[in-house]
Amino acid sequence: MGFRSKILISKSINMNNYDKSMSLSNPHPPFVDSQQKLAATLGSIGLLMMVLAFAGYSYSNVGWMLTLSCLMLSTGIIWYALRAYYHKIPGIKNDGVWFSSIAARGVLGWISGIVITGFYILLYWYPNMLGQSSGADAANTGLIALFDPLSFLIKGQAASQWFVYGTLYTMAILLFGFKFILKYRHNKYQIVRTISVMFFQLGFAFLLPEFFQAMNEPYYNFANMWPLNYYFFDDYNMNTYTGGTNFGLIMILWGLAMVFIISPILTYLYGKRWYCSWVCGCGGLAETAGDSFRHLSDKSTKAWKIERWMIHGVLLFSFLMTAAVLSTYFNNNSGQWVSKNLFLVIMIAVISFIIGFVLWRKHDIAKSGKNIPMFIIGSVGIVGLLVLFSHVMGYFVLSAGSLRSVYGFLIGSAFSGVVGVGFYPLMGSRVWCRFGCPMAAILGLQQKFFSRFRITTNGGQCISCGNCSTYCEMGIDVRAYAQKGQNIVRASCVGCGVCSAVCPRGVLKLENGSSDIHTKTDLMRTIHISEDEVKILS
Amino acid sequence: MHIVIIGNGISGVTAARWVRKLSEHKITIISSETEYFYSRTALMYIYMGHMRQQDTQPYEPWFWAKNRIELLHKHVDSVAFEAKELSFSDGSSLAFDKLIIATGSKSNKFGWPGQDLNGVGGLYHIQDLERMNKYSHGLQKAVIVGGGLIGIEMAEMFNSRKIPVTMLVREESYWNNVLPTEESAMINKHIKKHHIDLRLGVNLQEITSDDNGNANGIIIKETGEKIDCGFVGLTAGVSPNIQFLKDSGLETGRGILVDKFLETNIKDVYAIGDCAEQRSPMSGRRGVEAIWYTGRMMGETVAYNVCDKAVSYDPGIWFNSAKFLDIEYQVYGNIQAKPPENHGALYWQHQTENKSIRIVYDVENMEVLGFNLMGIRYRHEVCEKWIKERTPIESVLKNLSLANFDPEFYEDYETELVFLYNSIHGANLKLEKKRKWDFVRKFLSQKV
Ligand SMILES: Cc1cc2nc3c(=O)[nH]c(=O)nc-3n(C[C@H](O)[C@H](O)[C@H](O)COP(=O)(O)OP(=O)(O)OC[C@H]3O[C@@H](n4cnc5c(N)ncnc54)[C@H](O)[C@@H]3O)c2cc1C
Ligand code: SF4
Ligand code: SF4
């Protein structure tokens, strides 16, 4: 978050150095007033204090310095947001977005992209450079030492890089969430949804897990689930859960229930938005701190094609990896509550069920003309089966462990963190959610084929202006559907509702309906004459 | 057969798309404005920095080649209808078998002194936007002449760049030749709240200039007041862009005259969109309707006709929408600014927010005639069905939640409308809560 606020701050300071020339040469309106500049300066001092700690400066009273730094940062952001939106008449606030250096891939956009990417690289692979202690006895230094007092306060232990990250992350969602609510305060859907992501981040993703650790229970985020949480079925993870108290068992059962019961039901009822833009932490950051970058997502059909291959590819990868890891787990723990063979039987049953279900529904899928997801589900199942069988037979070439570490490195760290957040200012706020998240892939398939959710188009009212497509963070060309009078049913739609909010003609509405799930993409009406209604007059 | 379309706006492009759906004819679209079709309605958003120009293009560049639609970025100087040939300003020419004229509109200029000075212009083409942008740098003040839909957009545009704006409006209240009194008053207030200097009931006398031919102020006819400004926006309406066709043998009135199949007096020549004028418009409709939706409908209709499937133009129940700064506006059916005797209205307005609902009905038989919405979204199909089926107001009110199209969690104002009706008419209607899509779908699929 420190990095997010840096963006905001540098934006205000360098407002006059436009370097972006889109289709119009850049205007020089005073988008930022003197109070906003003051607020930005205050915030940057707070941030600078953290940067100094990172650079090796050691404060004499760390507790006070951390408090001061966080206070200044928060006050800066809140003050800035208040000045930016509070005194303005409520409404859509996108003036000057494409003229901004930071928000329109100008020099500042590139710089911040590089800085955030750099931070993530240090975080994942060189935490000692952030000051992470090297061993049990050694003390933290640098940035991480700065957060020791807070960590002791919450859980009675020294901070780790993940504690620092979690704190900054949560601060980002809360502070920029506040900014988002101010910006959209005329829109109740946006307010409710943002309060929800703020709540889940603060309570479920940050405080509860830290308290669990304080109580010597395993780290657990009730709002996270497999496959986003790809380490859920890891040997060490399962052992912590099963090895300890009943509490651990509850966590496992909850995790399984989330994946197999709660999530399908909620996705059926409301679409994937219940998770992606109401609960999930990755989505939460994208919707709050990432809001200023949502228009940077690529809307082309080419990008959509790449997206479908990538995200379903990652899904396949995570499925394979998990199957391999789990079978190893049961292999190593054959005396445990489930035997390896029983596990294999269950897996095969589940996969066969999925394949069977898809084949049964093939008629509908073929009709909707999209066979890629079908193909992916099919291959996931088949390859999964092959892996399991080859594993049973002892022919498994890649060891589960190496599969797991490749996945963790490529997907878990490089993709979701470094690229996922580092590239906000370059490719929009949902790069990870759109191209890489296996959870989004699963929920997307459910949303497309087994959900009541869709975005309804209001008859013929669309003027093809393009606001909806431009501000869709998932890169969906919403206008392509709306101008035909067609509903929008896309696997990737996270239901953020911003397309509906920015539409100047009131054309879009996020809705749930059960009576037409299989025909929800049909044309409600063509523009004027539907082909079969045409009367031949002469 | 070679079908040539002059104009790559919504009507010309819709025509091309539908001709392609219906046939294998060769299609060429000509425009001197831009290479690719963009949405004219989104011009303001480019200036305000909400979108780049490429974001306003509804189709990606590959679309045209894939659909075998040829694009020519040229200006048509004249048409030889007998020889079936167009001449371009670069001296080249092009033969056609059938011609669709979709040249749109141009901004009105009413012969004001100074209307052709530098720093004076309308807002219609992308070149107008470039002019506005050029003059915006360091601009201290802009004056807008004309208070229609484009005038208020221009005011919002300057406002977004913190350039002070004065708006001269001939009417006594904003757009009150279209909006009923209360709605018009709401917009007046809202314009002023945005610190736009709204002058009602005034006309432009002349535009003054400095020695270099640059506009430097305007004089108001009624008061003689002079307002200094560096830019004058002319937004007093548009008219069909057809000068280059005058005296070509094509029959024109305000626009190019067309029959119900959108064909002109010359065989194989059609006109659609803003530039077309219906010889016999449907009752209650005007001959020239310069809006996006009618252009789109004409484009679709003409495609059938050029493909030898005669279809008459039927724009259906009137609908339109706009946005006045922050206030969204939608209209369905027959809403009159000065309602005739038989129009009764149920009008509800929010106490503090800019929201209102007007339902107009025929006082003789109580059948619903139209809906006028401010700050509230209603479903097109539902309103249209009610109007088409001449549904009695009471039945509309009972089912009013079917029409609501606001986002989830938004306030429910249907109850207040029913309450209002009950208290005025001493009725005892009860609102059936039916906002959900499944109810709507059921309602829409009911046949009368
Ligand atoms: C700022 C603005 C906002 C608007 N907002 C709305 C709205 O919200 N809702 C609504 O319903 N309507 C709106 N309108 C009106 C709507 O945009 C028009 O009705 C519609 O665009 C007309 O489409 P068209 O295809 O008939 O013509 P146009 O879009 O005008 O296209 C005609 C094209 O033909 C070209 N052309 C003309 N003559 C020649 C020639 N001789 N050679 C080569 N090319 C030529 C022109 O340059 C132009 O590109 C708005 C208009 C403006 C200007
Ligand atoms: S389509 Fe709309 S609701 Fe869905 S992700 Fe895009 S902007 Fe959000
Ligand atoms: S924002 Fe609304 S009017 Fe504009 S293209 Fe999208 S749906 Fe159509």
Side-chain angles (χ1 to χ4, degrees):
Chain A
M1 195 274 332
F3 292 83
R4 304 247 55 82
S5 67
K6 182 166 192 169
I7 290 165
L8 184 76
I9 288 149
S10 38
K11 172 176 178 175
S12 58
I13 292 171
N14 290 295
M15 222 25 166
N16 294 326
N17 310 329
Y18 284 107
D19 52 342
K20 289 306 296 170
S21 171
M22 303 321 283
S23 43
L24 286 186
S25 61
N26 290 306
H28 298 258
F31 283 125
V32 183
D33 67 12
S34 47
Q35 274 205 42
Q36 274 165 286
K37 284 180 188 163
L38 264 175
T41 317
L42 187 72
S44 4
I45 298 174
L47 186 70
L48 194 69
M49 292 172 67
M50 291 186 190
V51 175
L52 280 179
F54 163 69
Y57 185 84
S58 49
Y59 297 108
S60 49
N61 192 329
V62 181
W64 279 111
M65 284 303 154
L66 177 67
T67 314
L68 195 63
S69 158
C70 290
L71 261 180
M72 286 170 89
L73 201 53
S74 314
T75 317
I77 295 172
I78 290 174
W79 185 7
Y80 187 97
L82 281 171
R83 279 307 291 178
Y85 302 118
Y86 188 67
H87 66 285
K88 291 201 183 125
I89 301 170
I92 294 305
K93 300 279 173 274
N94 287 330
D95 287 351
V97 164
W98 282 103
F99 302 137
S100 145
S101 176
I102 180 85
R105 282 190 285 256
V107 171
L108 292 178
W110 279 94
I111 293 178
S112 31
I114 292 167
V115 169
I116 307 166
T117 307
F119 171 72
Y120 271 92
I121 290 177
L122 295 185
L123 180 76
Y124 280 110
W125 298 306
Y126 305 99
N128 54 324
M129 290 184 66
L130 293 174
Q132 174 70 25
S133 74
S134 44
D137 309 325
N140 287 325
T141 55
L143 183 64
I144 297 186
L146 186 63
F147 283 77
D148 275 340
L150 185 64
S151 185
F152 275 109
L153 189 72
I154 293 180
K155 56 179 177 182
Q157 304 164 8
S160 67
Q161 89 248 43
W162 299 120
F163 179 80
V164 174
Y165 178 54
T167 311
L168 291 176
Y169 199 100
T170 307
M171 273 175 77
I173 291 187
L174 295 181
L175 294 167
F176 287 99
F178 172 77
K179 173 170 174 268
F180 189 85
I181 289 175
L182 272 182
K183 180 173 170 189
Y184 282 102
R185 67 182 191 278
H186 60 289
N187 188 318
K188 232 174 170 177
Y189 179 74
Q190 298 301 341
I191 297 175
V192 176
R193 183 174 72 81
T194 309
I195 291 175
S196 169
V197 285
M198 289 161 79
F199 169 78
F200 279 102
Q201 176 61 32
L202 180 65
F204 283 71
F206 184 64
L207 290 179
L208 273 184
E210 298 293 353
F211 288 147
F212 292 159
Q213 283 193 310
M215 297 182 308
N216 271 327
E217 295 291 351
Y219 178 96
Y220 193 73
N221 174 358
F222 279 100
N224 201 351
M225 69 177 132
W226 180 89
L228 182 56
N229 164 357
Y230 60 90
Y231 41 82
F232 183 74
F233 295 111
D234 278 6
D235 221 5
Y236 78 89
N237 203 41
M238 295 290 277
N239 282 333
T240 22
Y241 291 150
T242 50
T245 56
N246 288 337
F247 193 66
L249 204 59
I250 292 177
M251 287 171 178
I252 285 217
L253 292 178
W254 173 259
L256 292 172
M258 272 291 263
V259 183
F260 295 106
I261 302 168
I262 301 175
S263 141
I265 292 178
L266 287 176
T267 310
Y268 169 77
L269 290 176
Y270 307 112
K272 80 200 248 189
R273 56 182 171 152
W274 78 267
Y275 192 70
C276 296
S277 65
W278 285 70
V279 172
C280 178
C282 303
L285 192 73
E287 294 294 341
T288 53
D291 174 60
S292 316
F293 308 106
R294 56 169 57 248
H295 52 283
L296 299 176
S297 57
D298 190 336
K299 315 305 184 307
S300 66
T301 3
K302 200 171 144 202
W304 182 21
K305 211 175 206 163
I306 297 173
E307 166 194 317
R308 276 176 293 169
W309 281 107
M310 278 188 77
I311 194 166
H312 295 117
V314 174
L315 177 62
L316 182 69
F317 189 8
S318 81
F319 202 91
L320 274 180
M321 187 273 290
T322 308
V325 163
L326 262 179
S327 61
T328 322
Y329 171 78
F330 289 115
N331 208 15
N332 297 345
N333 301 275
S334 31
Q336 286 280 356
W337 45 287
V338 177
S339 75
K340 181 189 166 193
N341 290 340
L342 181 56
F343 165 71
L344 285 177
V345 171
I346 294 174
M347 279 309 275
I348 290 168
V350 167
I351 294 166
S352 315
F353 175 76
I354 294 174
I355 295 177
F357 194 64
V358 168
L359 289 179
W360 174 59
R361 293 289 309 276
K362 195 176 157 226
H363 176 67
D364 283 337
I365 296 169
K367 211 173 66 184
S368 74
K370 291 273 170 293
N371 32 33
I372 291 183
M374 228 289 286
F375 166 70
I376 301 281
I377 300 179
S379 24
V380 167
I382 291 161
V383 178
L385 274 177
L386 286 179
V387 169
L388 288 170
F389 277 120
S390 57
H391 193 77
V392 179
M393 309 295 224
Y395 294 143
F396 198 48
V397 264
L398 266 176
S399 85
S402 59
L403 206 58
R404 163 67 182 75
S405 35
V406 173
Y407 185 92
F409 174 80
L410 275 183
I411 311 295
S413 312
F415 206 156
S416 83
V418 179
V419 174
V421 183
F423 285 18
Y424 270 19
L426 306 176
M427 294 173 69
S429 50
R430 288 264 191 186
V431 182
W432 158 249
C433 313
R434 182 181 177 195
F435 295 98
C437 177
M439 187 77 236
I442 292 189
L443 295 178
L445 292 170
Q446 292 178 27
Q447 164 155 294
K448 185 143 181 149
F449 300 111
F450 319 109
S451 167
R452 308 188 311 158
F453 174 73
R454 87 288 311 280
I455 301 177
T456 315
T457 294
N458 199 7
Q461 286 282 24
C462 174
I463 53 169
S464 303
C465 69
N467 275 297
C468 51
S469 300
T470 304
Y471 288 92
C472 175
E473 53 191 350
M474 296 304 285
I476 299 172
D477 189 359
V478 183
R479 164 176 57 194
Y481 306 88
Q483 66 190 358
K484 288 192 280 191
Q486 196 177 15
N487 291 341
I488 296 102
V489 178
R490 280 280 290 266
S492 64
C493 171
V494 292
C496 65
V498 168
C499 53
S500 159
V502 298
C503 173
R505 296 294 178 271
V507 177
L508 305 165
K509 179 174 163 121
L510 281 60
E511 292 196 273
N512 312 306
S514 57
S515 63
D516 60 343
I517 289 188
H518 308 312
T519 52
K520 62 188 176 179
T521 52
D522 289 1
L523 285 179
M524 271 294 290
R525 68 191 259 153
T526 53
I527 288 158
H528 179 52
I529 306 167
S530 66
E531 253 168 289
D532 40 23
E533 262 179 21
V534 174
K535 296 178 280 293
I536 309 293
L537 295 180
S538 58
Chain B
M1 189 161 63
H2 186 194
I3 293 169
V4 173
I5 302 169
I6 314 181
N8 69 346
I10 180 66
S11 40
V13 163
T14 308
R17 281 181 43 240
W18 280 90
V19 170
R20 180 49 73 240
K21 280 194 195 192
L22 297 170
S23 77
E24 285 303 308
H25 300 320
K26 182 177 176 200
I27 305 172
T28 305
I29 306 183
I30 302 160
S31 169
S32 51
E33 186 185 2
T34 51
E35 189 181 355
Y36 296 115
F37 167 49
Y38 76 98
S39 176
R40 189 170 305 295
T41 51
L43 273 175
M44 64 185 295
Y45 299 109
I46 303 176
Y47 178 93
M48 300 198 301
H50 294 208
M51 284 189 271
R52 299 163 299 174
Q53 200 205 327
Q54 65 260 40
D55 302 322
T56 67
Q57 291 167 357
Y59 304 98
E60 291 181 60
W62 53 258
F63 174 88
W64 309 103
K66 187 177 171 218
N67 286 287
R68 284 160 289 119
I69 297 173
E70 277 181 44
L71 305 179
L72 268 187
H73 191 18
K74 287 188 178 188
H75 188 75
V76 178
D77 266 353
S78 61
V79 184
F81 290 108
E82 291 286 293
K84 292 201 165 183
E85 199 175 71
L86 309 172
S87 320
F88 298 112
S89 54
D90 63 2
S92 57
S93 60
L94 182 73
F96 61 83
D97 294 308
K98 289 192 180 179
L99 181 68
I100 301 173
I101 305 173
T103 51
S105 302
K106 57 173 179 35
S107 306
N108 282 336
K109 290 182 173 184
F110 290 118
W112 295 294
Q115 67 183 16
D116 295 317
L117 291 165
N118 300 330
V120 180
L123 173 61
Y124 191 86
H125 293 107
I126 197 105
Q127 289 75 13
D128 295 322
L129 197 71
E130 279 156 14
R131 183 193 311 109
M132 273 181 73
N133 192 52
K134 185 175 127 202
Y135 280 92
S136 293
H137 291 286
L139 187 62
Q140 298 300 313
K141 172 94 183 174
V143 172
I144 295 169
V145 183
L149 292 174
I150 300 181
I152 197 165
E153 288 192 0
M154 208 190 233
E156 183 176 357
M157 289 158 79
F158 283 123
N159 225 25
S160 78
R161 298 206 190 168
K162 314 263 171 9
I163 297 167
V165 196
T166 295
M167 242 176 121
L168 306 187
V169 176
R170 187 183 53 184
E171 290 78 28
E172 292 301 325
S173 177
Y174 175 79
W175 217 39
N176 73 351
N177 48 341
V178 178
L179 291 178
T181 315
E182 291 83 357
E183 284 91 331
S184 170
M186 180 194 291
I187 305 301
N188 290 341
K189 253 173 76 183
H190 188 61
I191 294 176
K192 289 179 185 155
K193 202 168 169 205
H194 273 272
H195 306 294
I196 293 164
D197 174 26
L198 178 66
R199 308 288 185 93
L200 295 168
V202 294
N203 284 276
L204 175 68
Q205 172 78 41
E206 66 168 292
I207 304 169
T208 58
S209 71
D210 63 12
D211 297 339
N212 303 320
N214 297 321
N216 66 2
I218 58 105
I219 296 173
I220 296 178
K221 193 188 230 159
E222 284 72 14
T223 58
E225 182 188 351
K226 182 172 192 298
I227 300 175
D228 294 332
C229 63
F231 186 89
V232 182
L234 302 179
T235 59
V238 296
S239 43
N241 182 12
I242 53 172
Q243 315 85 302
F244 76 109
L245 294 165
K246 289 262 149 69
D247 309 319
S248 62
L250 202 62
E251 261 184 60
T252 57
R254 277 194 64 212
I256 300 168
L257 290 166
V258 293
D259 62 18
K260 63 179 180 178
F261 302 111
L262 305 175
E263 197 165 7
T264 64
N265 64 311
I266 299 171
K267 191 174 175 316
D268 294 338
V269 177
Y270 301 79
I272 54 173
D274 281 20
C275 69
E277 177 176 355
Q278 309 296 319
R279 285 179 197 272
S280 36
M282 283 170 51
S283 84
R285 304 292 291 251
R286 283 162 294 137
V288 179
E289 286 177 340
I291 60 166
W292 186 262
Y293 313 112
T294 49
R296 198 171 56 192
M297 293 179 199
M298 285 188 229
E300 193 175 341
T301 308
V302 81
Y304 283 90
N305 288 303
V306 298
C307 294
D308 298 320
K309 296 185 181 130
V311 172
S312 59
Y313 173 58
D314 171 9
I317 307 263
W318 171 260
F319 68 97
N320 200 1
S321 61
K323 194 171 177 185
F324 307 107
L325 300 153
D326 302 308
I327 306 178
E328 285 176 19
Y329 155 69
Q330 292 185 332
V331 58
Y332 301 104
N334 187 354
I335 301 288
Q336 302 284 328
K338 315 267 172 308
E341 293 258 299
N342 68 327
H343 280 203
L346 183 66
Y347 180 75
W348 168 89
Q349 188 170 335
H350 195 282
Q351 298 230 313
T352 50
E353 290 169 39
N354 291 314
K355 293 177 192 286
S356 71
I357 301 170
R358 176 184 299 272
I359 307 180
V360 170
Y361 54 93
D362 190 329
V363 287
E364 278 148 28
N365 49 26
M366 299 304 270
E367 288 167 2
V368 74
L369 298 170
F371 300 80
N372 207 52
L373 293 316
M374 292 285 172
I376 290 173
R377 299 172 172 182
Y378 266 22
R379 285 185 205 265
H380 187 171
E381 282 100 341
V382 171
C383 294
E384 192 179 65
K385 188 169 154 82
W386 278 332
I387 298 168
K388 213 186 254 168
E389 293 172 357
R390 316 171 132 268
T391 315
I393 175 93
E394 300 207 343
S395 143
V396 166
L397 283 170
K398 271 193 295 196
N399 295 299
L400 197 59
S401 45
L402 288 173
N404 189 286
F405 199 69
D406 275 339
E408 292 149 299
F409 303 117
Y410 271 43
E411 224 72 52
D412 157 14
Y413 303 117
E414 293 96 48
T415 325
E416 297 195 27
L417 245 90
V418 172
F419 180 79
L420 187 70
Y421 181 88
N422 283 343
S423 53
I424 296 174
H425 295 268
N428 194 17
L429 300 179
K430 277 221 168 55
L431 180 78
E432 296 177 25
K433 304 256 179 199
K434 288 184 184 167
R435 267 198 187 186
K436 294 217 162 76
W437 169 251
D438 286 341
F439 293 118
V440 177
R441 184 163 173 271
K442 198 165 154 214
F443 168 74
L444 287 176
S445 52
Q446 274 163 14
K447 297 263 183 301
V448 257

